[in-house]
Amino acid sequence: MAKVLRVPKVDLQAILAQPNPHIDLRLDAYETSTRNFLNAVSNYTQRAVAEITNRKNAYAAEKKRLAEKTQQIEAETNQCKLKEIELIAVLDREQEEKKESEASVAAFRRQLNSLKEKCASLDVEIEQHRIVAANLMRERKREQSILHAHASRALPELTACEATLKCAIEGIDKDKILVRFTHVDPADLDREFSFVVDVSSRTYKVPTTTPFLPNLPILLDELNESRDIYAFIRRVRAAFRDLVTHGR
């Protein structure tokens, strides 16, 4: 800290009373004090300028940083706004999808309820059909029992008829009748002659004969015209006999 120069009090009367009046103004001390003051002012000015410069630079840097931060925040804000717009669009689509899904679920529920009602109705019908089927099965078993009883009673008569007529008739496969003859060939009474009649349609067919009959188509046409199967059997037996006779 600069030293303060204090000027002593001047006794003007005493000075004037001297033979050579002289006042010591102490100019050296004044110059030194002035020089020190100017140096202090210069140093203060330099420090002030440096401080102002530092503050200016700090302010500019802070301003630049704030400007960059502002730009960054604005960019982030714009991105957030874009994302917000996208999210709003997604939410709108989800709302639409939700409405569609709810409508689909409601439609499926209505269909499910309708199907449940139909299933309940079908269950009732199935139960009714089961009852009817059970009744039919019982009736069929009863009829089969009756048929078996009749067959067991008729079997001896059938066997006797087959032995007498030398002819056996039996069902094979589906809707087919096998007719077998013996005692057709006088040279071999045990030789078997047979044919199969297909009665699956209104037009009778004969898929096989053993042995082959050349006039079978004519006999078959007569059968389909007359619808008399028994007469057809007799004619075929006669045809087999003629075949044996003329074959010799």
Side-chain angles (χ1 to χ4, degrees):
M1 183 176 178
K3 193 173 182 182
V4 179
L5 177 64
R6 296 184 180 277
V7 179
K9 293 181 179 181
V10 177
D11 188 354
L12 184 60
Q13 186 177 359
I15 293 174
L16 291 176
Q18 293 179 359
N20 294 316
H22 176 72
I23 298 174
D24 187 6
L25 297 178
R26 304 180 70 178
L27 294 176
D28 294 337
Y30 172 76
E31 291 177 357
T32 301
S33 177
T34 301
R35 190 168 46 255
N36 291 335
F37 173 75
L38 292 175
N39 289 334
V41 170
S42 176
N43 291 334
Y44 174 79
T45 301
Q46 291 177 358
R47 287 196 303 272
V49 171
E51 182 66 21
I52 290 171
T53 301
N54 291 335
R55 290 185 180 182
K56 180 180 179 181
N57 293 335
Y59 172 77
E62 182 67 16
K63 182 178 179 181
K64 181 180 179 182
R65 187 185 67 81
L66 291 176
E68 293 176 351
K69 187 67 175 179
T70 301
Q71 291 178 353
Q72 181 182 358
I73 293 174
E74 289 178 353
E76 292 177 354
T77 302
N78 292 331
Q79 291 180 356
C80 290
K81 288 181 178 179
L82 293 176
K83 289 183 178 179
E84 181 182 4
I85 294 172
E86 292 177 356
L87 289 175
I88 291 174
V90 171
L91 289 175
D92 291 339
R93 287 197 302 270
E94 289 180 352
Q95 289 293 331
E96 292 296 328
E97 291 176 357
K98 181 180 179 182
K99 291 180 181 179
E100 293 177 358
S101 299
E102 290 176 350
S104 299
V105 169
F108 284 133
R109 285 179 178 173
R110 288 193 297 271
Q111 292 178 1
L112 179 61
N113 293 330
S114 176
L115 289 175
K116 286 181 178 179
E117 292 176 357
K118 290 181 179 179
C119 287
S121 177
L122 289 175
D123 287 339
V124 174
E125 292 182 6
I126 289 171
E127 187 61 27
Q128 292 175 352
H129 287 306
R130 283 177 179 172
I131 294 172
V132 172
N135 293 333
L136 292 174
M137 186 63 69
R138 286 193 297 270
E139 183 66 21
R140 181 177 180 182
K141 288 181 179 179
R142 187 181 68 81
E143 291 177 354
Q144 286 179 346
S145 298
I146 294 173
L147 291 174
H148 286 316
H150 287 308
S152 62
R153 288 196 299 268
L155 183 59
E157 297 178 1
L158 176 62
T159 303
C161 289
E162 289 179 349
T164 301
L165 299 174
K166 309 304 180 183
C167 174
I169 300 174
E170 59 181 307
I172 59 171
D173 295 336
K174 183 179 180 182
D175 299 327
K176 291 182 181 179
I177 300 173
L178 172 62
V179 181
R180 295 181 290 113
F181 303 111
T182 58
H183 292 69
V184 175
D185 187 354
D188 185 2
L189 297 180
D190 292 332
R191 180 184 176 186
E192 187 174 276
F193 296 76
S194 64
F195 66 95
V196 175
V197 182
D198 185 352
V199 296
S200 59
S201 63
R202 182 167 179 78
T203 301
Y204 294 124
K205 299 176 183 178
V206 177
T208 59
T209 63
T210 306
F212 174 72
L213 282 176
N215 61 337
L216 178 63
I218 298 173
L219 299 176
L220 195 57
D221 289 339
E222 293 176 352
L223 169 62
N224 286 315
E225 290 178 2
S226 64
R227 315 295 298 175
D228 189 346
I229 189 69
Y230 300 108
F232 175 72
I233 293 174
R234 292 195 301 270
R235 293 190 186 99
V236 171
R237 182 183 179 90
F240 280 137
R241 187 182 301 111
D242 292 341
L243 181 64
V244 172
T245 301
H246 292 91
R248 293 204 185 99

